Amino acid sequence: MIIGVTGDYASGKDSVADILIEKGFFHVSFSNLIREELNKDKKQITRDNLIKRGNELREKYGSKILARLSLEKVKEGENFVFTSIRNSGEVELLQSREDFILINVTAPEKVRLQRIISRNRESDPKTIEDLRRKENIERSNDPNAQQLHKVAKMAKIVLVNDTTIDNLKIKVDKLIADWIFKLQPSRPSWDQYFMGIAETVKERANCMSPKKGAILVRDKQIISTGYCGSPKNITHCNENGCKRCKERHLGNLKSGDYSVVCICAHAEENAIVQAAYNGASTKRTTMYTTFTPCNVCARMIINAGIIEVVAKVQYPDNVGTKLLKEAGVKLRVLK
């Protein structure tokens, strides 16, 4: 999970981050990314310089640049806390992920000013008026500038931090417990899973026509795969093995003209043949194929006892589709 933390001056953003770090979260600060840029140019690290350089980066590379750079640091299976999020474009990119949530840490203005005075930093505001003036600098409507007011409104959770650090820890503990499972990335459906595998299988195709892939599945287990191309021990189509495909790509034959014999086997055909070669029954299986089958493959599917065909793209061969329907083979084209 990735927890983004935003909030006004002295609201407790860093305290929340520290609590999460203690719990094993990796910390990525957008401000640190800007500090690295200032260090390269040997510029002094001040709040004003950080704001200026951050705005320059957004103007040059787009409003989402800091979010993109931060996401490059994310490791799969680990928890992260992102801080110093100050632009709505950054939030839009982060919220496109299923594992991200933004929280806005708040505290009353007087409480925040007291915290600021207590930490006694030279550049910090000393009055309510100074505090408001400083915060207004970070509330721009410029899409490439700091937009803390807009970022705060985009937060899914408001975390009120107006008492002790112990109470804040309790709230952070509850936050994690409430969201740790909700923010787990969703798994693909079985259709998405098997079609994704068929898409990978098709990358092995050596036919010069559009690449196609097919797999046979029974009880959610793959029993066979196939892709289009020349038969075993025959020169690959894309290496001048099939005269018909070569002539078509040279412009001497039109698509659909089979006056010259094509030697390539279709993906569905190969999936069925490979099952037979390995002694696996195709009876009552489901075929996932990147294209709906042609009429020849449809006949093989029917006679192989396949009961369902799931396709990604509609192939322009209505004969095959009609044969499947008449034989009672279920056909689904994924949307």
Side-chain angles (χ1 to χ4, degrees):
M1 65 190 296
I2 303 173
I3 297 179
V5 182
T6 190
D8 287 321
Y9 266 73
S11 60
K13 306 183 296 294
D14 291 339
S15 296
V16 170
D18 288 342
I19 293 168
L20 292 171
I21 292 167
E22 288 178 6
K23 293 182 175 296
F25 280 67
F26 291 92
H27 181 210
V28 178
S29 167
F30 288 21
S31 289
N32 284 345
L33 297 174
I34 303 173
R35 286 187 179 91
E36 292 172 5
E37 294 296 319
L38 290 175
N39 285 331
K40 289 178 185 177
D41 296 337
K42 298 182 180 180
K43 296 282 188 179
Q44 186 178 2
I45 306 297
T46 65
R47 194 174 188 90
D48 290 340
N49 281 345
L50 286 168
I51 292 172
K52 181 181 178 182
R53 180 52 58 89
N55 293 346
E56 290 172 351
L57 287 171
R58 295 185 191 97
E59 288 172 6
K60 185 174 182 179
Y61 300 107
S63 63
K64 303 175 184 179
I65 178 60
L66 295 178
R68 287 202 300 269
L69 292 174
S70 297
L71 288 174
E72 289 177 3
K73 299 179 180 294
V74 171
K75 302 173 186 176
E76 187 177 350
E78 300 292 348
N79 295 320
F80 283 78
V81 54
F82 284 1
T83 58
S84 304
I85 302 171
R86 292 186 168 90
N87 183 277
S88 60
E90 296 165 354
V91 180
E92 287 173 4
L93 176 60
L94 295 171
Q95 287 184 334
S96 68
R97 295 175 61 104
E98 294 179 302
D99 59 352
F100 175 82
I101 190 169
L102 178 65
I103 65 173
N104 180 30
V105 185
T106 67
E109 198 173 52
K110 290 182 179 179
V111 172
R112 293 190 291 111
L113 180 62
Q114 185 57 50
R115 290 172 182 166
I116 292 169
I117 293 172
S118 297
R119 69 190 186 189
N120 195 30
R121 294 178 185 171
E122 184 178 346
S123 60
D124 276 347
K126 302 297 187 293
T127 66
I128 289 290
E129 290 71 23
D130 285 343
L131 176 59
R132 291 171 181 171
R133 181 178 57 81
K134 283 273 191 180
E135 290 182 335
N136 282 334
I137 295 173
E138 301 185 49
R139 293 173 177 169
S140 171
N141 289 318
D142 182 345
N144 293 319
Q146 301 208 15
Q147 305 173 322
L148 272 182
H149 59 306
K150 292 186 177 182
V151 171
K153 290 179 180 179
M154 299 173 78
K156 189 142 189 164
I157 293 175
V158 175
L159 193 64
V160 180
N161 175 35
D162 56 356
T163 56
T164 65
I165 190 68
D166 288 336
N167 282 337
L168 182 61
K169 287 180 179 179
I170 292 171
K171 291 181 179 182
V172 173
D173 284 345
K174 186 176 186 306
L175 169 74
I176 298 173
D178 287 345
W179 285 93
I180 191 167
F181 297 112
K182 295 178 184 177
L183 295 180
Q184 295 301 309
S186 60
R187 301 165 68 197
S189 68
W190 285 111
D191 280 347
Q192 292 169 330
Y193 173 69
F194 287 125
M195 190 58 72
I197 294 172
E199 284 287 326
T200 299
V201 169
K202 84 175 186 180
E203 295 305 315
R204 283 289 299 169
N206 64 68
C207 183
M208 294 171 68
S209 293
K211 293 182 177 181
K212 301 181 182 71
I215 64 174
L216 281 173
V217 175
R218 181 190 294 110
D219 298 330
K220 297 185 175 62
Q221 297 292 320
I222 298 171
I223 67 168
S224 180
T225 68
Y227 51 82
C228 53
S230 303
K232 290 180 180 179
N233 302 319
I234 301 297
T235 303
H236 290 171
C237 174
N238 57 11
E239 296 174 349
N240 198 22
C242 178
K243 183 178 179 181
R244 192 257 171 191
C245 287
K246 179 185 75 173
E247 291 299 318
R248 188 174 75 83
H249 282 274
L250 288 173
N252 298 326
L253 286 175
K254 292 183 178 180
S255 180
D257 182 350
Y258 285 92
S259 57
V260 178
V261 176
C262 179
I263 68 165
C264 293
H266 290 189
E268 301 93 328
E269 177 183 359
N270 272 331
I272 293 169
V273 170
Q274 288 303 312
Y277 181 85
N278 291 305
S281 173
T282 57
K283 187 176 181 180
R284 302 196 63 78
T285 57
T286 295
M287 174 174 282
Y288 284 84
T289 177
T290 54
F291 276 68
T292 52
C294 69
N295 75 86
V296 175
C297 287
R299 283 178 267 167
M300 296 184 68
I301 287 167
I302 293 166
N303 286 344
I306 297 167
I307 60 174
E308 182 180 27
V309 174
V310 183
K312 184 176 181 180
V313 177
Q314 183 77 44
Y315 184 76
D317 185 341
N318 292 330
V319 176
T321 301
K322 290 177 181 178
L323 286 173
L324 294 177
K325 183 177 180 180
E326 184 177 349
V329 177
K330 184 178 180 181
L331 173 64
R332 290 190 290 124
V333 179
L334 299 181
K335 296 182 180 179

